Amino acid sequence: MNDLERDGRKGESIGRTVADWNRRVFVGREQELAIFGRLLDGTLGERLLNVHGTVGCGKSFLLEEFGRRAEQAGALYLPLGGGWGFMRSPEAVVQRLGQSLQAAGISASAPAGSVGEIDCIAAINRAAGERKVILAFDHYEQAGAMDGWLREALIPRLQEEVLVILCGRQPLAGPWRLNPGWRQLLCDMPLAEFREEETAELLRRHGVIGEEALRHAMVECRGNPLALSLLLATADPARPPAAGTNEQYIRHLVRHALDDIRDNELLELVRAASIIAYFNEDSLESVLGRPVGGLLFDRLVGLSYVHKTDRGWTMHEVIREAVKEELRLRKPASYKEMAERCAALLLREIGQGVAGPDAAWKTVELMSYADNPLLRAHYRHSRGSSHYVEPLQMSNIEEAERYLIRRRELAKDTVVRCADALTGAVFEYRLSAEETLYRLSGLELRRWMALEPGAVLLLKEPGGEMVGLFVIVPIHLGTIGELRRGPVSQAFFEQADSLLLKMLYVPREESPGWFIRAIDVTDMADDSLRSASVRVTLEYALEGKLLLASPPALDFYRDGHRGLGFEPIPGIVHYDYDGSTPVPTLMIDTRGSRRIDYLRRLLKLSAPDAAFAAGEAGEGAAAARSGPDGAAGRAFAQGLSAPAEFALRPKRPALTEREREVAGLLIEGGTNAEIAAKLYISEAAVKKHLNAMFQKLAVKNRTQLVKTLLEMP
């Protein structure tokens, strides 16, 4: 505030100064304010406004703005907030009403007993005969037994011109909605988090500008107004540290979230619920290591920041992270124990197939327990996405082609910023406009659509707008020709070991996996779009097949794919993105029991893999990975790697030494005659060994036998 502004405000109260500042920084809520305006002028006939939303969504701040709007309209606004200590009895409520009336200059007899109650209500009704009157009860979740008294004794005696606002964390329930009379008077107003533009405007009004500050605020606060306010109060948003390093920020946010919890049992349950993304009573018992009573669980899911989804219950993401971080700081041993139980639960469900269609998001959640700050940061907000995919077809081909044109016209330099909530580590990736288009180079959508229906998927937001494009090609006899000729994929199909290629030359129905030709979204800095990309990639990775990719040799792609468990195939390099930078081809192998080994590796990643450096993706990298003879690298390239045993893996019948020799030559593509000649045995002996393996491995023909042998440890 400058000197002129300060001089013009002389004589005003401190309270007025605070209120004026709050008015200047109030942003958003246009729809809610419009509804209030219609209630104020009588356009809407409802007389009971229920404002509700999770902790920190700005309910009290909105009520302040309602009060300012009511005052400007000449209405009488009677706020009853500041905590519900006064709600211990009807007499105490009337006492507070009398004080509010007195502050507004309206006289009423001293409220005491039934006479005071009658006089107080009469004073409100008299005022309502002259102008609009609004009674605003804040923190209504603390009303307790007074809820029934207000509904049955106080509010029914007010004139219809009085508007009553009941504002709390939970929507009104019970008789408020079951009774037809109350229901027809009720106007429901749920509050959502701030959108990105509202967050940007709030920062601007606090003097904070710049894309970096906005990105940090969105990553840390997810649009929660309270979290934003605390961030502005406890840090310099223009040069922000990660919120996980700011204990004052965490402490304030948790205090606001847990201020209505009065017993240790429920508090412990809330902390356990912060460890797991989506929970039910069974999973919480697994995390806690003891039974959870049904009544206690009901109290947990009744909290305002806990809501039901089709995957189970979940906590509001900002609150969840704050509670989890406070637990990690205050009780590191308890946090570690519960986190390990949660990881074991997820790993067991995925490994046993219990997860079913939820395997992808459960794998994303599993990543948060990895001993890798970058991995946790990169997929911190990837546990959910409302986007969906639809296959490319004639009905939407023009839409997809317009997407490509729009992407090239609107490409811009991009900064992707993410932070690990546990360690405070901040990671930043910068991509030029040209680099953001690398994965779209050389794409011929109509050719892929004709060659392999379903290979091209359009990513769409809930409203139907296309915001991304995935080209994930199944590998089989019908597609290998195109993959051998096309950029990015050509190198693998020209340079891969002949044994691996033989495994790929199969009919469509026996396809062993996919090649990710492209994954592109309109804005890689958008958490929700990266989340959708992660989800789709994991869905393919967990299919129990091979998944190949060759993304640009940039840190953003390299770290992201490494985080997802991709490993470089030694010796296979191309230069197709910029003509000069060597780019490796990567692979995830989840065939058979390898899926569990894949998931277990995700939990142990801790240091960069030198083989991911594009300059080391050739034979030198293969030697570094494989040792002096390069055997391990060749075995990986052939798809014959032998992962560590896992408890859930069924034990394979042992093959004799001769059967193993026959199996090795069979995998190389040898006929019975060729195998017999190399082993100096008769063709009849070869058939005998093959039949023995058919029986031992429960297969019916040579194709199934080769497939099973390749999947064997």
Side-chain angles (χ1 to χ4, degrees):
M1 186 184 299
N2 58 38
D3 292 339
L4 184 61
E5 289 174 317
R6 205 172 276 112
D7 290 341
R9 297 180 57 84
K10 286 181 178 178
E12 290 193 2
S13 68
I14 293 176
R16 172 62 69 177
T17 300
V18 172
D20 285 349
W21 169 252
N22 287 343
R23 174 182 52 80
R24 289 201 299 274
V25 298
F26 183 88
V27 300
R29 307 304 187 201
E30 289 86 359
Q31 183 177 358
E32 289 82 0
L33 291 172
I35 291 173
F36 179 72
R38 296 178 66 192
L39 291 169
L40 201 60
D41 64 20
T43 306
L44 292 178
E46 290 86 345
R47 310 315 307 147
L48 189 64
L49 176 60
N50 180 208
V51 180
H52 58 89
T54 190
V55 58
C57 69
K59 300 181 294 293
S60 298
F61 215 56
L62 179 61
L63 288 191
E64 287 185 24
E65 184 63 21
F66 283 169
R68 287 189 286 270
R69 300 290 177 101
E71 183 180 337
Q72 293 171 0
L76 174 62
Y77 188 83
L78 301 175
L80 292 101
W84 277 76
F86 70 91
M87 287 293 280
R88 60 188 180 276
S89 68
E91 292 77 17
V93 176
V94 171
Q95 177 71 31
R96 178 61 68 90
L97 277 170
Q99 293 171 354
S100 295
L101 286 167
Q102 186 177 7
I106 297 175
S107 62
S109 300
S114 60
V115 175
E117 180 178 318
I118 293 173
D119 289 345
C120 191
I121 292 173
I124 294 173
N125 286 335
R126 282 198 305 273
E130 300 174 359
R131 53 178 168 161
K132 180 73 70 175
V133 175
I134 299 101
L135 267 64
F137 294 85
D138 199 1
H139 304 289
Y140 197 72
E141 70 276 359
Q142 301 177 22
M146 291 299 97
D147 174 71
W149 177 79
L150 285 168
R151 184 177 59 254
E152 297 168 7
L154 178 66
I155 297 176
R157 294 155 68 185
L158 300 175
Q159 290 187 9
E160 283 194 351
E161 290 75 17
V162 177
L163 173 64
V164 178
I165 302 176
L166 302 180
C167 178
R169 294 184 178 181
Q170 297 286 3
L172 293 176
W176 292 110
R177 296 185 185 275
L178 297 176
N179 184 294
W182 284 118
R183 192 165 61 242
Q184 60 112 9
L185 293 177
L186 183 63
C187 178
D188 196 53
M189 185 177 284
L191 294 190
E193 314 294 335
F194 280 169
R195 300 185 300 273
E196 183 169 331
E197 54 267 31
E198 293 166 329
T199 299
E201 179 61 18
L202 179 65
L203 294 178
R204 188 191 67 78
R205 295 193 186 190
H206 280 83
V208 179
I209 58 175
E211 185 175 334
E212 181 179 348
L214 174 60
R215 189 71 62 193
H216 173 72
M218 290 301 298
V219 166
E220 297 302 333
C221 304
R222 312 297 290 170
N224 183 273
L226 172 63
L228 285 164
S229 178
L230 290 173
L231 186 66
L232 287 162
T234 59
D236 177 7
R239 301 175 62 85
T245 63
N246 193 326
E247 294 187 30
Q248 184 182 8
Y249 170 91
I250 295 294
R251 187 170 60 252
H252 283 304
L253 190 55
V254 172
R255 179 175 60 81
H256 279 276
L258 306 184
D259 63 357
D260 57 346
I261 296 180
R262 299 289 180 262
D263 66 84
N264 289 331
E265 268 194 312
L266 182 57
L267 182 59
E268 185 180 11
L269 201 59
V270 170
R271 286 170 172 164
S274 74
I275 300 293
I276 185 167
Y278 299 96
F279 60 85
N280 53 39
E281 196 167 336
D282 289 338
S283 60
L284 277 183
E285 289 180 347
S286 296
V287 172
L288 281 170
R290 60 172 176 77
V292 174
L295 292 177
L296 188 61
F297 184 81
D298 289 342
R299 293 175 60 196
L300 170 68
V301 299
L303 297 172
S304 67
Y305 42 85
V306 176
H307 63 276
K308 184 75 167 64
T309 74
D310 57 357
R311 295 172 179 170
W313 284 267
T314 186
M315 291 175 63
H316 184 283
E317 191 168 355
V318 172
I319 304 303
R320 176 186 176 231
E321 286 200 355
V323 173
K324 183 167 66 172
E325 174 63 1
E326 188 200 39
L327 175 63
R328 190 186 72 86
L329 293 171
R330 293 182 60 175
K331 294 188 173 184
S334 296
Y335 170 82
K336 185 175 185 295
E337 183 179 2
M338 286 194 285
E340 288 175 349
R341 287 177 182 156
C342 184
L345 172 66
L346 292 169
L347 188 62
R348 184 168 64 250
E349 290 181 347
I350 296 168
Q352 294 175 333
V354 177
D358 293 335
W361 75 256
K362 287 189 176 183
T363 303
V364 171
E365 179 63 17
L366 198 60
M367 291 180 184
S368 67
Y369 304 103
D371 187 21
N372 185 321
L374 187 146
L375 183 61
R376 291 193 299 263
H378 207 58
Y379 303 112
R380 178 178 175 185
H381 300 300
S382 294
R383 66 186 179 101
S385 173
S386 56
H387 296 83
Y388 65 95
V389 296
E390 65 180 36
L392 180 68
Q393 46 199 351
M394 288 305 299
S395 60
N396 57 25
I397 182 65
E398 292 184 359
E399 178 184 15
E401 290 174 338
R402 286 196 300 271
Y403 170 87
L404 293 179
I405 294 172
R406 187 170 70 250
R407 280 283 288 115
R408 293 180 177 113
E409 290 177 346
L410 302 179
K412 61 180 181 180
D413 295 349
T414 299
V415 178
V416 179
R417 185 187 179 94
C418 53
D420 175 29
L422 296 186
T423 64
V426 179
F427 304 94
E428 184 175 283
Y429 301 94
R430 296 180 178 273
L431 296 94
S432 68
E434 181 184 8
E435 289 170 342
T436 67
L437 297 175
Y438 274 170
R439 304 197 78 175
L440 298 178
S441 60
L443 276 183
E444 298 183 32
L445 297 183
R446 290 181 182 267
R447 187 177 183 85
W448 279 119
M449 182 179 67
L451 186 66
E452 180 57 45
V456 183
L457 300 173
L458 313 187
L459 179 67
K460 295 196 169 184
E461 65 175 11
E465 181 182 355
M466 183 178 173
V467 291
L469 178 71
F470 305 148
V471 183
I472 305 176
V473 184
I475 304 171
H476 54 74
L477 286 171
T479 60
I480 281 184
E482 185 64 27
L483 288 168
R484 287 186 72 111
R485 289 188 294 272
V488 180
S489 59
Q490 179 181 15
F492 171 78
F493 290 93
E494 287 185 346
Q495 301 172 26
D497 187 282
S498 60
L499 296 184
L500 177 56
L501 291 178
K502 283 184 179 180
M503 184 179 66
L504 303 179
Y505 278 83
V506 295
R508 175 183 276 109
E509 60 272 14
E510 297 179 18
S511 171
W514 299 268
F515 192 102
I516 299 178
R517 173 60 179 83
I519 289 183
D520 180 79
V521 295
T522 53
D523 182 6
M524 283 173 283
D526 186 309
D527 291 329
S528 66
L529 295 181
R530 292 207 314 276
S531 171
S533 301
V534 169
R535 188 190 71 235
V536 169
T537 304
L538 281 172
E539 286 174 357
Y540 281 88
L542 294 172
E543 280 291 318
K545 297 186 177 183
L546 300 175
L547 186 61
L548 305 172
S550 188
L554 302 169
D555 288 345
F556 172 73
Y557 295 108
R558 182 182 299 127
D559 293 345
H561 281 71
R562 179 179 173 273
L564 281 169
F566 281 91
E567 296 185 85
I569 302 176
I572 299 180
V573 181
H574 68 82
Y575 302 82
D576 295 339
Y577 287 116
D578 63 5
S580 60
T581 304
V583 181
T585 296
L586 316 175
M587 181 162 70
I588 292 176
D589 183 357
T590 57
R591 293 171 297 154
S593 58
R594 290 177 178 86
R595 183 166 72 166
I596 290 299
D597 299 311
Y598 160 68
L599 295 173
R600 295 176 71 187
R601 285 199 309 274
L602 291 182
L603 300 183
K604 297 177 181 178
L605 293 173
S606 59
D609 187 335
F612 266 84
E616 298 178 9
E619 293 298 330
R625 285 178 54 86
S626 310
D629 60 358
R634 287 195 300 274
F636 177 76
Q638 295 167 8
L640 298 173
S641 56
E645 289 294 322
F646 184 67
L648 297 176
R649 175 182 298 169
K651 188 175 181 180
R652 292 288 192 185
L655 301 181
T656 66
E657 182 178 353
R658 180 63 81 184
E659 286 168 352
R660 287 196 298 271
E661 291 174 344
V662 172
L665 295 172
L666 178 67
I667 290 173
E668 292 180 2
T671 65
N672 286 1
E674 291 169 339
I675 294 173
K678 289 185 179 181
L679 296 179
Y680 302 101
I681 60 177
S682 67
E683 289 188 49
V686 173
K687 291 181 180 179
K688 182 187 74 171
H689 293 308
L690 290 175
N691 287 329
M693 287 189 282
F694 289 165
Q695 294 295 320
K696 289 181 178 182
L697 302 178
V699 298
K700 297 179 179 179
N701 53 46
R702 294 167 69 96
T703 301
Q704 291 180 4
L705 178 59
V706 170
K707 181 179 179 183
T708 302
L709 289 169
L710 288 169
E711 293 177 352
M712 285 179 63

